[in-house]
Amino acid sequence: MSELRRQFEERLGQLGVPVVLPAELEAMLTGKVFVSEHAVCKPWAARATCADPREADVTVTGCDALVAETGSVALLSAPVETRLSTLMAPLNVVVGGERQLVADMELVFEQFAGRLRPGAAAACLTFVTGPSRTTDIEKTLIFGVHGPKKLVFVFAEDGG
Amino acid sequence: MTGLRNRAMMATSSSAALGVWMMAAALTGAGRSTTLNAVRIGLFIPCLVDQFMPRAGLGVARLLKKLGHTVEYPAEQTCCGQPAFNSGIHSEAVVLAKRFVRVFDGFEAVVSPSGSCVAMVRNFYGDLLGARPALADRVFEFSEFLVEKLHLTDVGARFDGRVTYHDSCHLLRELRVESQPRQLLRAVKGLELVELNDGPTCCGFGGTFSIKFPDVSAAMAEDKVAAIERTGAQWVVAGDAGCLMQIGGMLSRRGSPVKTMHLAELLGGNA
Amino acid sequence: MMPMPVLEEKRRAALARALGQTLQKRAQAVAEMPEWEAMRQRAHDIRAGAMDRLFEHLDAFERAAAANGIRVHHAATAEDACQCVIQIARRLGVTRAVKSKSMVTEEIHLNHAMEAAGIRPIETDLGEFIAQLKGDPPFHLTAPVVHLTRDEVGKVLAVKLGVPFTNDPAKLTMIAREVLRREFLDARLGISGANFLVAETGSIVLVTNEGNGRMVTTLPNPQGPRVNVAITGIEKVVPTLRDAAHLLRMLARSSAGARLTAYTTFIQGPRARSSGEEPSGPDEVHVVLVDNGRRGMLRDARLREALFCIRCGACSNICPVYHRAGGHAYQSVYNGPIGAVWSAALWDTEQAAALPFASSLCGACADVCPVKIDIHHAMLWQRNLATLRGRVPAWQRWAWRLWRMGMERAALYRAGSRLARVLLPQVVLNRLARPWTSKRDLPPLAAKTFHELWKEEA
């Protein structure tokens, strides 16, 4: 396992994000399942039962980069929609490839410089670091206040 | 400053052995080296020390003399201007700041048993006067002077008791003096130093703050006193008279058996 | 001088626990970075550089944002900023808007202005949502209801939403989720703040742990035109994405002890409509750049540093005054140490001018500040400004003058101290020092001053 992957998985662990094997995912795909158009999600395309991420119980999505320093998943808003699909459902499964790993946020900016250039920018770039959470009531940590209560990560088998 | 540092280094640099020799020499009154005598120290005794805990001033004077230095107390000194400065009355503070520089400018070093007043001169005179006076670099808080300039931690003092040290905010955060008082206290025979472990958090004195916001100030003192009592110490020691008045005032109000003492008095009061 | 009461014992203890927990997490996150001091310095330098050429950076931001289709508005005053938002809402024809947490919208009292214009603002940050239901201003920069117990939160939700009472934070959170999810799906206007603006790319950077910031800027409503308005201070601009990345680290570690906030979003414009329709995101993105007194801060060399603030709240978390008095005691939108500085800098009122005095000047705030603002020194300067602006009563200025005249003459000072020992027995001293002795004892004057002892020793 590469050092970047080791660090990334360690960070996910600290954020309460399980890293599961593709085979283990099957059991999680219950209720209304939305699967995004990312190529890495193809293996689960047949499991989709819902076309609108707003109504899904589970969303399976790809991503654009993985950040080892913080355990973050970077998402561009296009060409594949990632805003709703990583925000609305109680359970969000992100599929990423080891080849997408970079050390830090700055390297994501370098990699996607073309998508951040004024006049040609993607509408939105988001770094997702763990599930939705709050500590507003007596500093008690509660997950899923607006976004996903649970985030699960899967390494694509072909390396992404 | 280089002159002072060099001489201080020559006199005291290498070891505790040298320190012991110096003390012995000073005590017998013989063998005072000209090198040591050449350091002419001006004693800066702030108002609160002068009025409420003069023995802290004596502690500084006796200790420095014992170490063989020439110690002078310019009788013209009054206040560095800090109370007015902290109250936002710069127009009055500036008069006293100029006066302070006049009174002390002739000394190679100025030593004071107050972190707060030294911070005023060193950190704020520049802003107040428009230009930082050269004197600002020659004004030292007493414990910092002993450890950093004279390279001395064991002053040969004895004190029987369990002691905790309160970090005054000006010492800790304006002058960054944190380890020096502890080093000095640890070297005192018979003294057991216990850490306060409360942050370190302000005692709530803050000069006129303690009078303008008495409720908040006293609440801070209460928590400070509770932390002191948790250590089981018999004494609380600090390097600023203001903190000691605040802490002592609350200890006394609560009928606590814990007593306060200025660091300089503990180290040099019986020297 | 303003009164500043202490919180009741129980609330004080609960607040201390909550703030202490956050501070402890911060300490762990800092301990993980051996180069933390260098990181603080870099953050300071980034913010200093941004403020040195603020208007160049703002121009660059505006050009880049415009190239991405973001509409930039300038608001000199709070009133201008509110009107700008209200006009956008009216043009859109909406009567409600979802809002994510933003201190600038609190500063300009946007909610009040919107309500007066018949547009209902719905706070969606859980803490802000509870505060809004309760009708309270935020208690803390990052934790609006940190002072409330779970029972109190439960009561607010039960009374205001008509739900059965529960004090279980998880259940309370899920109630809020349900209520607010309906609002998100219904909203066509989303109002957010901005943590940073990036000059080189025209990006609006927004961080949110709960995800409401993403909801408000994504606007999941499947129908109708959707509009996102970001309202922020002109000081939030940073030159580059790299600068933003560094500050985001400092912000997450300082505010919550995290390596990064759960959701960090770089908003760069409305959803694409030419090259393949994007199914989500707003049709219009607006930025309102609020001045409201910031240029004045920029001009004062001693207050300029306060503009470096990234609103992490660490200074409040450590402040011994904030711990005892709480956020509402400041009677200002911006509270805690940096809040006192901002309040006095933005508002020329007696109340705001008093805030820099409500500090023991202990400096703990400056030591935890991730961008190294000399917060307590700024307060010292503002105390002098209060004098210069005539906020200090004449009798006090005269008292200080008399005091100074006494201190200029050593003989007078010595005579006075001798006289005090003769004429002022402790009982009289205690009466004179009433604000002090009401809470603590006053130590007795030493029988002899140092001056006298010194003469005896010689």
Side-chain angles (χ1 to χ4, degrees), chain B residues 200-222:
Chain B
T201 303
C202 177
C203 67
F205 176 65
T208 52
F209 169 79
S210 62
I211 295 162
K212 284 181 172 158
F213 299 91
D215 296 341
V216 177
S217 169
M220 287 161 72
E222 274 168 13

Side-chain angles (χ1 to χ4, degrees), chain C residues 4-115:
Chain C
M4 194 178 240
V6 169
L7 293 169
E8 56 176 305
E9 186 60 39
K10 237 178 74 183
R11 196 172 300 283
R12 225 172 93 189
L15 183 64
R17 250 196 321 278
L19 300 178
Q21 193 183 320
T22 310
L23 268 184
Q24 202 180 345
K25 276 160 71 185
R26 175 201 168 271
Q28 284 164 1
V30 167
E32 196 181 272
M33 308 307 265
E35 70 282 22
W36 180 252
E37 282 311 309
M39 290 171 73
R40 286 177 75 213
Q41 189 59 48
R42 187 181 158 204
H44 179 93
D45 294 344
I46 289 170
R47 294 297 292 141
M51 291 308 106
D52 282 348
R53 293 162 55 203
L54 176 60
F55 296 104
E56 279 173 54
H57 294 311
L58 280 174
D59 285 347
F61 167 78
E62 189 167 348
R63 277 194 304 274
N68 285 335
I70 295 177
R71 299 181 208 180
V72 181
H73 308 262
H74 297 269
T77 64
E79 173 67 22
D80 292 351
C82 292
Q83 280 313 313
C84 185
V85 178
I86 288 166
Q87 274 167 25
I88 292 169
R90 289 209 170 124
R91 190 167 48 75
L92 196 60
V94 295
T95 54
R96 53 217 281 136
V98 285
K99 269 191 75 197
S100 64
K101 190 169 157 28
S102 148
M103 287 309 296
V104 175
T105 63
E106 299 284 344
E107 171 193 326
I108 63 174
H109 298 290
L110 178 65
N111 287 1
H112 188 260
M114 286 176 72
E115 277 159 18

Side-chain angles (χ1 to χ4, degrees), chain C residues 293-301 303-304 306-307 342 345-346:
Chain C
R294 286 162 174 79
R295 280 171 196 253
M297 288 171 77
L298 194 67
R299 276 192 296 268
D300 187 328
L303 295 182
R304 162 181 287 215
L307 291 169
W342 268 74
L346 291 186

Side-chain angles (χ1 to χ4, degrees), chain B residues 50-51 62 75 77-78 86-88 92 99 127 173-174 176 202 210 215 217 223 246 249 252-253, chain C residues 302 324 362 367 377 383-384 387 400 404 407-408 413-414 417 421 437 439-441 446 450 457:
Chain B
D50 187 39
Q51 298 295 327
R62 287 175 181 172
Q77 68 179 282
T78 56
N86 284 359
S87 298
E92 307 299 339
R99 189 177 183 281
D127 201 23
R173 301 198 185 88
E174 292 293 348
R176 303 290 171 193
C202 177
S210 62
D215 296 341
S217 169
D223 292 343
Q246 165 89 342
S252 161
R253 180 61 55 95
Chain C
R302 294 176 178 89
R324 274 73 183 185
C362 80
D367 273 6
H377 293 166
R383 293 178 181 194
N384 187 49
T387 308
W400 281 112
R404 183 262 297 167
M407 287 296 181
E408 269 190 294
Y413 163 70
R414 311 252 174 252
S417 75
R421 277 167 177 74
T437 51
K439 299 278 174 182
R440 305 142 275 204
D441 290 340
F450 174 81
E457 288 240 316

Side-chain angles (χ1 to χ4, degrees), chain C residues 322-340:
Chain C
Y322 182 92
H323 268 245
R324 274 73 183 185
H328 290 162
Y330 292 76
Q331 296 173 51
S332 176
V333 167
Y334 293 115
N335 56 41
I338 192 66

Side-chain angles (χ1 to χ4, degrees), chain B residues 43 45-59 61-62 65 71-79 81-93 95-96 99 102 123-124 127-128 169-170 172-174 176 200-202 204-224 242 244-246 248-254, chain C residues 1-6 9 12 40 302 318 320-322 324-325 354-367 376-377 379-388 392 396-397 400-411 413-414 416-418 420-421 426 429 433-454 457-458:
Chain B
L43 265 188
I45 305 298
C47 346
L48 288 182
V49 174
D50 187 39
Q51 298 295 327
F52 289 97
M53 35 201 89
R55 294 191 61 80
L58 279 188
R62 287 175 181 172
K65 276 194 206 165
V71 180
E72 288 177 30
Y73 173 74
E76 265 302 296
Q77 68 179 282
T78 56
C79 174
Q82 184 182 200
F85 180 73
N86 284 359
S87 298
I89 318 285
H90 288 199
S91 54
E92 307 299 339
V95 179
L96 296 180
R99 189 177 183 281
R102 271 202 309 277
N123 296 4
F124 298 114
D127 201 23
L128 183 61
C169 298
H170 281 102
L172 181 69
R173 301 198 185 88
E174 292 293 348
R176 303 290 171 193
T201 303
C202 177
F205 176 65
T208 52
F209 169 79
S210 62
I211 295 162
K212 284 181 172 158
F213 299 91
D215 296 341
V216 177
S217 169
M220 287 161 72
E222 274 168 13
D223 292 343
K224 174 60 71 178
L244 289 167
M245 287 176 68
Q246 165 89 342
M250 186 55 74
L251 283 167
S252 161
R253 180 61 55 95
R254 287 172 38 140
Chain C
M1 191 53 58
M2 63 182 281
M4 194 178 240
V6 169
E9 186 60 39
R12 225 172 93 189
R40 286 177 75 213
R302 294 176 178 89
I318 203 159
V321 175
Y322 182 92
R324 274 73 183 185
L355 291 178
F357 290 88
S359 161
S360 67
L361 301 174
C362 80
C365 48
D367 273 6
H376 61 311
H377 293 166
M379 286 190 219
L380 261 175
W381 171 240
Q382 288 177 315
R383 293 178 181 194
N384 187 49
L385 286 181
T387 308
L388 298 177
V392 175
Q396 275 186 28
R397 277 179 284 128
W400 281 112
R401 169 167 276 186
L402 284 174
W403 170 83
R404 183 262 297 167
M405 286 161 77
M407 287 296 181
E408 269 190 294
R409 293 158 185 83
Y413 163 70
R414 311 252 174 252
S417 75
R418 263 196 306 279
R421 277 167 177 74
Q426 191 71 23
L429 263 180
R434 196 75 197 157
W436 174 283
T437 51
S438 65
K439 299 278 174 182
R440 305 142 275 204
D441 290 340
L442 188 68
L445 286 168
K448 288 176 181 170
T449 63
F450 174 81
H451 184 76
E452 290 161 336
L453 291 178
W454 173 263
E457 288 240 316

Side-chain angles (χ1 to χ4, degrees), chain A residues 11 14 54 69 81 83 86 88 106 116 119 122-123 125 127 129 132-134 136 138-139 144-147, chain C residues 22 68 124-125 127 149-150 177 181 209-210 212 214 220 249 259 262-264 266 268 278-282:
Chain A
R11 295 292 188 255
Q14 289 159 344
R54 278 171 282 237
E69 180 196 354
E81 200 281 341
R83 290 178 140 185
T86 58
M88 305 300 288
E106 283 86 338
L116 295 161
L125 167 66
F127 293 84
T129 311
S132 157
R133 55 191 177 267
T134 184
D136 273 344
E138 284 191 8
K139 291 281 160 196
V145 52
H146 293 298
Chain C
T22 310
N68 285 335
T124 63
D125 170 85
T149 63
R150 60 184 69 197
R177 178 181 167 116
R181 178 57 71 94
N209 273 311
E210 298 182 358
N212 62 315
R214 286 187 72 194
R249 282 187 190 101
R259 293 194 185 93
Y263 301 110
T264 301
F266 292 72
Q268 328 216 76
E278 271 186 68
S280 60

